[in-house]
């Protein structure tokens, strides 16, 4: 009897620890992940944040994949809705990279308790995962493939780790009968115990916190330091010239810069600093991360920008290894992630900043953009395996144009999503989002594309609305087939605001 009491007490203690630490406390710890990183933790963290906010005004939720948060700026949209249409609303994201209709459907029971007044779902070809058919079955077709096989593929851990990390219970309900015993056991454990469910994503935020407080912040996925007036890349690379204010952190700790062997090219490289009153030059002589310190004279005028200039730049297309990339931007040095900040920014998981890669295509003629497009996105697969999915998407669009449209798999889940919103009488706006005119040209004139548009349009009715914007943004507004540059996002914002504004009663 005592043994059973001990076992029961131990089990209840474990459940309590699991609940308070992994279901509650981890979402109270500051989140210092930058935009478009740590996708699944950021999604969960944002969901818990929204759930904790009392609803005091209209609530608009933007759901979906990276298509959603690359396309819409929540704060700018809220501002435009209020200033132009008199709609006082909060706009929140419930989106993460790769969040296709099946995954959105599995999370609907999470969404409705947030009491949205409108849910906006921008969607594009990549969200339907149609390219997976040709990857799994090289001779297969989307109009004949076994739908159950594709659903099972879409809910495997390899293809959708979020199925274990975010919605293991829903995944079990959907495809549990098709799982082997080992896989089913993993998902059951993830459903029951949060420590098992979150073990792979929980520690990423803790690593961020440790790095920001005790590390040198040289290992990261996105720049999150002070603004650089000349601009900085998403990965923290400067150009030949860059300015910054001499902050307290720089005064106390100095700062780290990464120097590539391609910048040095067998020589030294001078990096000069001046504020118009005092000047300093350092000589960069070895590759890797190098710690620099400014002379004390710079901190006597802390509100005056320090102008920095490198002796020369380097180009990623001439590099190799991890530095190889197919673009034409002149590169300088890489700044540490939280450059200039004594304390890292918090709550930035869905706040997007302008980066230098967003400016590449300004005023670029169509012919030059097209040349750049094919070079940057589709050439050199043998050297850049990371572009494999882009190549696969191109092949998929070229192949599917010769097939018949079949509303299966993700299209069927899109209908189920629409039906749920209609049944609950919650306004839902499904958007066929803009696509790059170049990739659109591979299949837009096909019967498949026309029939797919007709199917999406047929989902409208009652509280469900459909909007087709696939030609509303020029090619210069895209960084690839379907993701907007920052400037493209700004160009589309008034269009989204107009269409959303029309859905609210005047």
């Amino acid at each position: 009897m005592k043994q059973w009491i001990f076992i029961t007490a131990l089990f209840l203690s474990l459940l309590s620890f699991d609940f308070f630490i992994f279901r509650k406390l981890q979402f109270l710890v500051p989140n210092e992940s930058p935009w478009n990183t740590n996708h699944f933790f950021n999604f969960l963290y944002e969901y818990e944040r929204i759930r904790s906010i009392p609803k005091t005004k209209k609530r608009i939720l933007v759901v979906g994949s990276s298509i959603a948060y690359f396309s819409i700026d929540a704060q700018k949209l809220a501002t435009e809705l209020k200033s132009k249409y008199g709609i006082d609303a909060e706009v929140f994201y419930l989106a993460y990279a790769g969040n296709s209709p099946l995954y959105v459907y599995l999370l609907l029971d999470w969404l409705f308790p947030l009491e949205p007044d409108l849910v906006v779902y921008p969607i594009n070809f990549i969200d339907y995962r149609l390219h997976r058919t040709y990857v799994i079955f090289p001779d297969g077709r989307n109009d004949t493939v076994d739908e159950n096989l594709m659903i099972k593929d879409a809910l495997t851990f390899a293809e959708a780790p979020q199925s274990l990390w975010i919605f293991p219970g829903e995944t079990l309900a959907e495809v549990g009968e098709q799982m082997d015993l080992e896989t089913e056991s993993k998902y059951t454990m993830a459903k029951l115990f949060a420590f098992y469910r979150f073990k792979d994503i929980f520690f990423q935020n803790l690593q961020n916190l440790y790095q920001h407080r005790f590390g040198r912040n040289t290992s990261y996925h996105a720049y999150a330091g002070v603004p650089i007036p000349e601009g900085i890349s998403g990965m923290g690379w400067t150009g030949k010239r860059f300015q910054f204010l001499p902050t307290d952190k720089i005064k106390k700790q100095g700062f780290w810069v990464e120097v590539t062997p391609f910048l040095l090219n067998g020589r030294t490289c001078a990096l000069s600093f001046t504020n118009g009153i005092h000047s300093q030059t350092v000589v960069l002589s070895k590759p890797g991360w190098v710690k620099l310190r400014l002379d004390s004279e710079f901190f006597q005028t802390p509100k005056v920008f320090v102008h920095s200039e490198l002796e020369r730049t380097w180009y990623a297309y001439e590099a190799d290894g991890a530095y190889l990339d197919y673009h034409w931007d002149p590169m300088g040095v890489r700044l540490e992630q939280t450059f200039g900040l004594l304390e890292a920014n918090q709550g930035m998981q869905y706040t997007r900043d302008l980066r230098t890669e967003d400016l590449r295509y300004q005023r670029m003629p169509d012919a030059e953009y097209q040349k750049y497009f094919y070079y940057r996105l589709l050439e050199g697969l043998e050297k850049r395996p990371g572009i494999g999915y882009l190549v696969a998407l191109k092949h998929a669009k070229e192949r599917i144009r010769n097939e018949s449209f079949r509303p299966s798999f993700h299209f069927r889940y899109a209908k189920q999503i629409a039906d749920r919103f209609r049944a609950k009488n919650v306004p839902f706006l499904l958007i066929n989002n803009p696509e790059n005119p170049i990739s659109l040209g591979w299949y837009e004139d096909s019967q498949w594309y026309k029939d797919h548009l007709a199917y999406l349009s047929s989902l409208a009715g009652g509280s469900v609305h459909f909007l087709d914007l696939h030609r509303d943004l020029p090619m210069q507004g895209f960084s690839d087939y379907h993701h907007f540059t920052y400037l493209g996002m700004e160009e589309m914002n008034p269009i989204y605001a107009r269409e959303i504004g029309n859905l609210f009663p005047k």
Side-chain angles (χ1 to χ4, degrees), residues 216-220 232-233 235-239 242 255-264 269 271 284-292 310 312 314 320-323 331-337 339:
R216 61 186 196 181
N217 295 304
T218 57
S219 175
Y220 63 90
I232 191 164
S233 81
M235 294 300 289
W237 293 100
T238 72
F242 59 100
F255 60 96
W256 293 86
V257 299
E258 184 176 8
V259 180
T260 71
F262 310 101
L263 174 68
L264 299 177
C269 180
L271 172 57
L284 305 174
S285 59
K286 60 180 182 178
W289 285 96
V290 178
K291 191 167 189 178
L292 303 179
L310 286 155
R312 58 182 172 273
W314 63 281
D320 54 37
Y323 297 110
M331 308 277 279
V333 292
R334 189 184 193 190
L335 303 181
E336 62 184 72
Q337 185 191 37
F339 174 72

Side-chain angles (χ1 to χ4, degrees), residues 47-65:
Y47 178 80
E48 294 296 331
R49 186 183 76 86
I50 297 170
R51 195 164 66 161
S52 70
I53 299 174
K55 184 180 176 183
T56 58
K57 54 180 69 174
K58 292 186 184 300
R59 178 168 285 182
I60 298 173
L61 300 180
V62 181
V63 303
S65 65

Side-chain angles (χ1 to χ4, degrees), residues 345-376:
N345 292 319
Q346 299 177 8
M348 303 296 287
Q349 58 268 20
Y350 285 104
T351 300
R352 183 179 183 181
D353 292 312
L354 179 68
R355 297 297 182 229
T356 50
E357 52 264 39
D358 293 308
L359 304 173
R360 286 173 181 160
Y361 317 113
Q362 275 187 304
R363 296 178 292 277
M364 185 178 282
D366 286 359
E368 184 179 353
Y369 179 94
Q370 290 182 42
K371 178 182 177 182
Y372 201 173
F373 174 93
Y374 281 97
Y375 168 74
R376 193 174 63 82

Side-chain angles (χ1 to χ4, degrees), residues 123-266:
I123 200 165
N124 214 303
F125 183 90
I126 190 173
D127 291 313
Y128 305 121
R129 294 173 52 87
L130 298 169
H131 66 286
R132 286 294 300 169
T133 297
Y134 309 121
V135 173
I136 301 170
F137 308 106
D139 297 322
R141 295 170 60 96
N142 271 292
D143 52 7
T144 59
V145 71
D146 185 338
E147 181 180 4
N148 289 326
L149 293 177
M150 301 314 299
I151 294 172
K152 185 177 180 181
D153 170 69
L155 287 172
T156 59
F157 180 77
E159 281 302 308
Q162 68 269 28
S163 63
L164 184 71
W165 295 336
I166 297 179
F167 42 83
E170 292 83 353
T171 301
L172 279 169
E174 194 69 16
V175 296
E177 293 180 355
Q178 302 174 44
M179 292 179 175
D180 58 45
L181 182 60
E182 181 183 357
T183 303
E184 186 177 7
S185 299
K186 288 181 179 179
Y187 279 79
T188 302
M189 281 286 290
K191 179 184 177 182
L192 294 175
F193 299 106
F195 76 86
Y196 183 84
R197 174 180 166 188
F198 296 136
K199 61 185 174 63
D200 293 308
I201 58 175
F202 172 75
F203 293 106
Q204 180 59 58
N205 190 48
L206 295 183
Q207 288 173 8
N208 287 339
L209 295 172
Y210 179 85
Q211 280 289 324
H212 295 164
R213 285 154 178 74
F214 308 108
R216 61 186 196 181
N217 295 304
T218 57
S219 175
Y220 63 90
H221 296 103
Y223 178 75
V226 299
I228 304 297
E230 291 80 4
I232 191 164
S233 81
M235 294 300 289
W237 293 100
T238 72
K240 185 174 184 179
R241 300 176 183 85
F242 59 100
Q243 300 177 65
F244 58 90
L245 289 172
T247 65
D248 286 341
K249 180 184 179 182
I250 295 172
K251 180 179 180 179
K252 293 176 180 178
Q253 301 178 18
F255 60 96
W256 293 86
V257 299
E258 184 176 8
V259 180
T260 71
F262 310 101
L263 174 68
L264 299 177
N265 197 22

Side-chain angles (χ1 to χ4, degrees), residues 3 16 21-22 32 54 76 97 111 115 183 209 217 233 267 306 308 311 325 350 372 416 469-470 482-483 486:
Q3 185 179 13
S16 298
I21 299 297
F22 290 93
E32 297 178 357
K76 285 183 170 66
L111 188 150
E115 302 178 74
T183 303
L209 295 172
N217 295 304
S233 81
R267 299 168 288 168
V306 176
S308 314
E311 184 179 346
D325 200 359
Y350 285 104
Y372 201 173
Q416 292 185 59
L469 299 177
H470 75 274
H482 40 256
H483 292 122
Y486 189 94

Side-chain angles (χ1 to χ4, degrees), residues 423-439:
K424 289 186 173 290
N425 198 31
V426 174
F428 176 66
L429 176 60
L430 179 66
I431 302 175
N432 185 44
N433 218 45
E435 182 174 345
N436 193 313
I438 297 175
S439 60

